[in-house]
Amino acid sequence: MTHEIVSIPADAASGMQDSPALLRLRALLGEHRLLRDADSLARFGADRSPGWVPRPVAVALPETTEEVQEIVRIAREFRLSLVPSGGRTGLCGGAVACSGELVVALDRMNSLLSVDAVDRSVTVQAGMITARLQEIARERDWFYPVDFASSGSSQIGGNIATNAGGIRVIRYGMTRNQISGLVVVDGRGEVLRLNHGLAKNNTGPDFRHLFIGSEGIFGIVTEATVQLLPAPKPPQVMLFGVGGFPAILRLLSEFSNTLKINAFEFFSNNALEKVLARQGTASPVQTAPFYALVEYESAGEHDEARALAIFEEGLERGELVDAVLATSEAQSRAIWRLRESISDTLSAWKPWKNDISVRVGRLDTFIERVSALVAAGDSDLELVWYGHIGDGNIHLNILKPEELSADAFAERCSPLAKGIAALLGEFSGSVSAEHGIGLLKRDYLHYTRSNAEISALRAMKAIFDPDGIMNPGKLLPD
Ligand code: 2HG
Ligand code: ZN
């Protein structure tokens, strides 16, 4: 996946100094909400994907939907490109601004607007941090199920724009499932109030779902109505040492067919070793080639006996090596931390990331084929397997050897990446299960989406964003 650096004329940023667009934006937002200092430009112009040089022209910090609308109108008038910006925790360059764009950061739009106790929903501004939304739900004995390692800094608007997934998709679905209403400002500067929190609304195609996962190429999400759930009982968390992929898949089908699972994650031993070394802790289970983390909701002793039986049978068959059941919330959290720290731990190796999925029923043959591809390829590279295997999503990370430059590494990974993408095409899988496309995976989009779909997407962009100012370059291939 190419790390392309888009350059802008050297004087583009300084040329903005006295431009009419800047004057209008300053009149709207005031000096303190239109940032131009080098630190802010570097910080707001990047996300967590490596390889881009952030070069936004300025950072706007609106506080209301109306201000976002005015920013879009000014941008249209002066043909200024906009990059919507949330917590910038993305891994695919969906929120980078490296071509003189104006970053529209939702950080100051983080209020709770209303609570509906009858239908158990809240309406929030899009800049609310995901963990704050989870906390708001908890305070009312409700539950917001979307969760992932970066929920402490990601924002709900960014989660919506990328249709964030995470660890409990197998039980609750992606962000899309929780959003019952949306306010967006599209690239025409129109405010669209979509679905109004309704549970039933059969009035034709639902534009809400066009905007969810659209990575800001149609417009900017400013408010969302989020459907919350009643708080579930504290779950059971187990960590298994597993012999190999067939055993992981057998464990998955045994749990998912007989118990109510919230999450089913896996990781390879080298992932665990690196996390343990960084944390300075010991493994809670005996060493095994792989580990499966299972979280399930227990209805009582019967379910717990069932989970134990699954373990004992697996042990007898020689498929499982060991298991641990968390007996306190602190232990559950410690087990989860092993899984959730992997991405951050691996970032020291500047890995080549794959965020891929196939239908769960096809995982066994797909993994066999990927493993064969990997074995036939560049055997010196270290691979780390992990992910949300319960919903078919694998994050295969390839670690960069220290002595290799970023470009040389990209070149070495490229044949494998192309091979995996072609396999995904064959298996009708996805080249981006949950991280999005951004700048990073545009050239791979066609392995998952047909040309007819991509041209329809372009046509839709032309409707909502006739001047092409909304997050240009993202998602769609050139
Ligand atoms: C995870 O599941 C995240 O930990 C990040 O989606 C995955 O960094 C990655 O490849
Ligand atoms: Zn993930």
Side-chain angles (χ1 to χ4, degrees):
M1 301 179 192
T2 41
H3 286 222
E4 182 185 322
I5 294 172
V6 187
S7 61
I8 56 165
D11 62 348
S14 53
M16 179 77 177
Q17 196 68 47
D18 300 306
S19 74
L22 184 67
L23 293 175
R24 288 272 299 280
L25 289 165
R26 198 172 277 138
L28 175 71
L29 302 167
E31 201 69 55
H32 65 296
R33 292 201 284 126
L34 188 69
L35 311 179
R36 298 263 290 144
D37 61 285
D39 274 3
S40 300
L41 297 185
R43 191 156 63 88
F44 284 91
D47 61 15
R48 290 198 188 162
S49 60
W52 322 103
V53 180
R55 289 195 69 191
V57 75
V59 180
L61 292 165
E63 289 179 346
T64 61
T65 296
E66 291 67 33
E67 281 186 355
V68 175
Q69 183 178 35
E70 196 48 37
I71 290 169
V72 174
R73 286 181 176 153
I74 294 169
R76 274 200 86 175
E77 196 178 325
F78 296 97
R79 291 289 194 275
L80 182 61
S81 295
L82 302 177
V83 174
S85 179
R88 296 180 305 284
T89 56
L91 295 164
C92 296
V96 300
C98 45
S99 303
E101 305 94 331
L102 176 71
V103 173
V104 183
L106 280 286
D107 295 42
R108 293 173 81 110
M109 295 183 62
N110 57 10
S111 303
L112 171 63
L113 298 174
S114 64
V115 178
D116 190 323
V118 177
D119 69 11
R120 213 189 315 104
S121 71
V122 292
T123 298
V124 301
Q125 285 186 304
M128 178 173 283
I129 300 287
T130 313
R132 175 72 192 125
L133 177 61
Q134 292 166 341
E135 190 182 279
I136 286 171
R138 246 190 327 269
E139 284 162 6
R140 289 161 177 79
D141 222 8
W142 296 342
F143 179 54
Y144 180 60
V146 179
D147 198 12
F148 34 77
S150 57
S151 58
S153 42
S154 78
Q155 297 176 6
I156 185 69
N159 297 172
I160 293 168
T162 55
N163 187 25
I167 56 179
R168 299 208 173 84
V169 170
I170 193 170
R171 173 86 191 269
Y172 300 103
M174 310 274 281
T175 298
R176 181 185 302 287
N177 289 30
Q178 330 302 331
I179 304 302
S180 58
L182 216 50
V183 178
V184 299
V185 178
D186 72 13
R188 299 170 300 180
E190 298 288 344
V191 176
L192 306 179
R193 296 181 186 277
L194 305 171
N195 200 57
H196 311 279
L198 295 169
K200 297 183 93 172
N201 177 15
N202 255 350
T203 52
D206 190 337
F207 285 4
R208 169 183 45 154
H209 290 298
L210 268 186
F211 280 84
I212 299 173
S214 66
E215 301 189 17
I217 69 163
F218 297 151
I220 302 177
V221 175
T222 59
E223 292 172 26
T225 301
V226 185
Q227 183 62 58
L228 300 169
L229 302 166
K233 288 205 299 193
Q236 302 286 326
V237 175
M238 295 181 83
L239 184 66
F240 293 87
V242 190
F245 277 114
I248 297 175
L249 297 176
R250 164 102 77 135
L251 192 65
L252 169 62
S253 90
E254 292 188 339
F255 263 94
S256 62
N257 284 322
T258 53
L259 290 159
K260 206 182 246 185
I261 51 175
N262 296 339
F264 192 105
E265 305 276 314
F266 89 114
F267 43 95
S268 50
N269 187 45
N270 55 351
L272 180 66
E273 278 174 348
K274 286 175 172 42
V275 168
L276 292 173
R278 189 172 176 230
Q279 290 184 356
T281 51
S283 173
V285 281
Q286 274 180 49
T287 305
F290 291 96
Y291 304 90
L293 191 168
V294 187
E295 185 183 282
Y296 72 96
E297 189 179 306
S298 169
E301 277 172 22
H302 174 78
D303 283 353
E304 279 141 48
R306 173 74 199 128
L308 196 63
I310 292 175
F311 169 57
E312 279 165 356
E313 285 156 23
L315 207 57
E316 255 165 51
R317 283 195 304 270
E319 290 179 353
L320 301 180
V321 174
D322 192 14
V324 61
L325 165 72
T327 52
S328 67
E329 218 188 305
Q331 273 183 17
S332 298
R333 270 203 305 272
I335 290 176
W336 265 116
R337 207 172 311 123
L338 297 175
R339 162 64 185 89
E340 296 221 286
S341 310
I342 298 173
S343 179
D344 204 33
T345 303
L346 296 185
S347 63
W349 281 266
K350 301 189 169 52
W352 184 276
K353 291 184 171 300
N354 290 279
D355 164 40
I356 56 181
S357 69
V358 296
R359 289 173 67 164
V360 179
R362 292 178 155 189
L363 270 173
D364 51 353
T365 34
F366 177 72
I367 288 171
E368 257 172 43
R369 297 278 301 278
V370 175
S371 303
L373 205 69
V374 165
D378 199 333
S379 56
D380 288 349
L381 295 172
E382 184 178 359
L383 305 176
V384 185
W385 294 84
Y386 64 110
H388 322 281
I389 197 163
D391 57 42
N393 181 185
I394 293 166
H395 296 308
L396 175 61
N397 279 214
I398 308 171
L399 307 190
K400 186 178 88 57
E402 211 180 330
E403 67 283 0
L404 224 56
S405 73
D407 285 349
F409 178 54
E411 214 158 285
R412 271 177 73 176
C413 290
S414 165
L416 184 56
K418 289 212 174 87
I420 292 175
L423 259 190
L424 286 163
E426 192 185 321
F427 278 75
S428 303
S430 176
V431 292
S432 180
E434 60 170 2
H435 295 166
I437 295 293
L439 289 174
L440 198 59
K441 298 185 185 169
R442 295 182 299 178
D443 298 339
Y444 291 76
L445 185 63
H446 69 97
Y447 288 101
T448 297
R449 310 294 295 265
S450 68
N451 288 339
E453 283 182 281
I454 293 172
S455 64
L457 194 57
R458 282 189 207 286
M460 277 185 244
K461 180 161 171 69
I463 293 170
F464 288 111
D465 178 26
D467 301 316
I469 58 168
M470 296 306 314
N471 218 7
K474 314 293 167 42
L475 212 170
L476 285 161
D478 280 338

